[in-house]
Amino acid sequence: MSKLKNLVNIFSKKEKLLIVLVFLAVLGTLSYIIFSPNHYDRPEPIRFEIYKGETLNQITENLYKAGIIPNRFNFKAVVYVMGGERKLRAARYTIPNDLSYFALFNLFAYGKANLLKEVLIYNGSTVFTIDNKLAREVEVDSNEFLSLIKDKNFLQELNIKAESIEGYLLPGPHFIYEFSDAREVLTNMHKALNDFLDDTLMAEIKKSKYNLHQILTLASIVEGETEKVEEMPTIAGVYLNRLRLGMRLQADPTIQYIHQNKWRRLFKTDLQVNSPYNTYMYAGLPPGPIGNPGKAAILAAIHPEKNNYLFFVADGTGGHKFARNYNEHLKYVREYRQWLKSQSTTTK
């Protein structure tokens, strides 16, 4: 305490007054910078997005380029003073005019916004499953989404030569803003597929006997048959062998697609439904994909295994046993049924 008194006593009254005035001037300048409104000369409000993983420097630069802030340093200084960039949320914001740096930070940290969320679309999901998931998790308008699925003008915009967008959306994790426009979401999910199907893969498809639509259709059936990535090229090879010989595909996933419900055991009556997607009734590939295949299934359809198999049946472990002829296939079917019987006995 005595040291503080001695320090104060070394200044004259005029010097003390000068220090106070300098302090007040600095405080006033900071207050003016932090709390004064920043006006932008654009139609208001401005929609601004902070994407996942963006740094403070990137966010600041985007704000500056958008004309929302006139000074980069001032905004970064306010962020540091108020607790750092960790408080800035990845989201889509509506920024009114004349916000101060403090108000802008407060909006990014605590204000109303459409948050950016990760939505995982599972391999093989149909457009209807995707619609339900998006509506539930990020509140995308379901009516708008469903209206675009078969919209000819929209499909033409995306250069999709098909009757539906089914099969042309790439599954996986997608980062989507809450309340996003359905058109924007579908466009981005289709772009993800286009990005995956690079020039090399598209060149390989063109060299094959099948076009992109047929490849995606085959891939969607392969996706529906197995979750084992290592089996997918083998199953693709089986179906291509059947197509080459003019045999019906007799693919259960196509029947599941007709009924548009959760996976269930199929009965003989299910196989009698008159639909172009019924591969037990009609030869060849169905009119289009029965879901949206993942990358592994698409690659399997592009690079199928060359084999002599014509049949396959579940082996009880999540995989399949493959057969070259019908007698061999019947043997594996009997083995599978015996396994099923043993399982039911065990559970009693």
Side-chain angles (χ1 to χ4, degrees):
M1 194 67 177
S2 59
K3 288 183 179 180
L4 181 59
K5 287 182 178 180
N6 292 333
L7 182 61
V8 172
N9 290 333
I10 65 175
F11 296 107
S12 65
K13 288 183 178 181
K14 288 184 178 181
E15 288 172 331
K16 291 175 185 177
L17 179 60
L18 181 60
I19 291 172
V20 171
L21 291 174
V22 170
F23 175 77
L24 291 175
V26 171
L27 185 62
T29 301
L30 289 174
S31 297
Y32 177 79
I33 291 172
I34 293 173
F35 296 106
S36 291
N38 294 308
H39 186 81
Y40 57 74
D41 295 320
R42 287 179 56 185
E44 54 182 287
I46 293 177
R47 191 174 78 169
F48 184 80
E49 298 171 356
I50 296 180
Y51 203 71
K52 183 178 175 64
E54 281 190 320
T55 65
L56 177 58
N57 283 336
Q58 290 173 317
I59 296 168
T60 303
E61 188 63 28
N62 291 338
L63 286 168
Y64 182 77
K65 287 180 178 179
I68 297 170
I69 59 172
N71 187 287
R72 301 178 183 88
F73 175 82
N74 291 347
F75 178 73
K76 287 193 282 188
V78 168
V79 172
Y80 282 120
V81 169
M82 298 307 298
E85 60 184 301
R86 290 184 180 179
K87 292 186 178 181
L88 305 181
R89 299 167 299 163
R92 177 175 283 162
Y93 301 88
T94 300
I95 301 180
N97 214 336
D98 299 320
L99 285 188
S100 66
Y101 290 109
F102 174 79
L104 189 59
F105 168 81
N106 199 54
L107 173 63
F108 290 159
Y110 312 108
K112 182 179 178 181
N114 295 331
L115 298 179
L116 183 67
K117 294 185 176 181
E118 182 177 3
V119 180
L120 179 60
I121 304 300
Y122 294 105
N123 293 338
S125 296
T126 67
V127 287
F128 301 104
T129 303
I130 295 172
D131 169 57
N132 289 333
K133 193 174 183 68
L134 292 174
R136 185 174 63 253
E137 296 188 13
V138 285
E139 301 193 59
V140 172
D141 188 301
S142 180
N143 291 330
E144 183 190 5
F145 186 95
L146 294 175
S147 70
L148 289 169
I149 288 173
K150 294 184 178 182
D151 185 287
K152 292 182 179 179
N153 292 329
F154 180 57
L155 294 173
Q156 190 173 4
E157 287 176 21
L158 298 180
N159 197 30
I160 294 176
K161 297 177 176 63
E163 298 296 319
S164 168
I165 203 169
E166 185 82 270
Y168 289 83
L169 307 175
L170 189 69
H174 291 270
F175 290 95
I176 302 171
Y177 294 107
E178 294 174 312
F179 300 98
S180 286
D181 181 79
R183 180 181 292 268
E184 174 190 5
V185 174
L186 286 168
T187 300
N188 288 338
M189 293 181 70
H190 176 60
K191 181 180 181 300
L193 176 67
N194 284 341
D195 291 342
F196 171 67
L197 293 171
D198 57 20
D199 292 341
T200 301
L201 289 178
M202 288 303 297
E204 292 180 42
I205 292 173
K206 288 180 181 179
K207 289 179 183 178
S208 72
K209 296 180 180 179
Y210 300 95
N211 58 35
L212 174 61
H213 187 70
Q214 293 168 322
I215 289 292
L216 292 175
T217 301
L218 175 60
S220 70
I221 298 174
V222 172
E223 187 74 70
E225 291 286 9
T226 185
E227 293 182 356
K228 288 193 170 184
V229 172
E230 62 272 20
E231 277 192 346
M232 289 181 175
T234 307
I235 292 175
V238 172
Y239 282 131
L240 288 173
N241 289 339
R242 282 177 161 253
L243 288 171
R244 188 179 69 254
L245 296 174
M247 295 175 64
R248 294 174 186 174
L249 297 185
Q250 297 184 322
D252 288 355
T254 64
I255 307 300
Q256 299 283 0
Y257 183 72
I258 293 170
H259 294 289
Q260 284 296 332
N261 50 23
K262 292 183 178 180
W263 188 95
R264 63 176 175 83
R265 183 181 176 186
L266 297 175
F267 299 95
K268 286 185 178 180
T269 54
D270 294 317
L271 309 184
Q272 295 168 3
V273 176
N274 190 0
S275 166
Y277 284 89
N278 187 341
T279 55
Y280 279 82
M281 186 175 291
Y282 294 97
L285 289 166
I290 59 169
N292 293 277
K295 294 178 180 179
I298 295 172
L299 290 175
I302 297 173
H303 303 127
E305 178 184 281
K306 292 182 179 180
N307 57 53
N308 296 318
Y309 298 130
L310 292 174
F311 306 92
F312 60 93
V313 66
D315 63 6
T317 67
H320 295 84
K321 288 184 178 180
F322 298 87
R324 295 173 178 81
N325 57 63
Y326 191 60
N327 287 335
E328 187 180 17
H329 175 61
L330 288 178
K331 173 190 171 185
Y332 292 145
V333 170
R334 287 194 296 269
E335 289 177 359
Y336 178 63
R337 287 174 178 170
Q338 288 173 358
W339 178 84
L340 284 176
K341 188 176 180 180
S342 68
Q343 293 300 111
S344 61
T345 303
T346 304
T347 55
K348 288 182 180 179

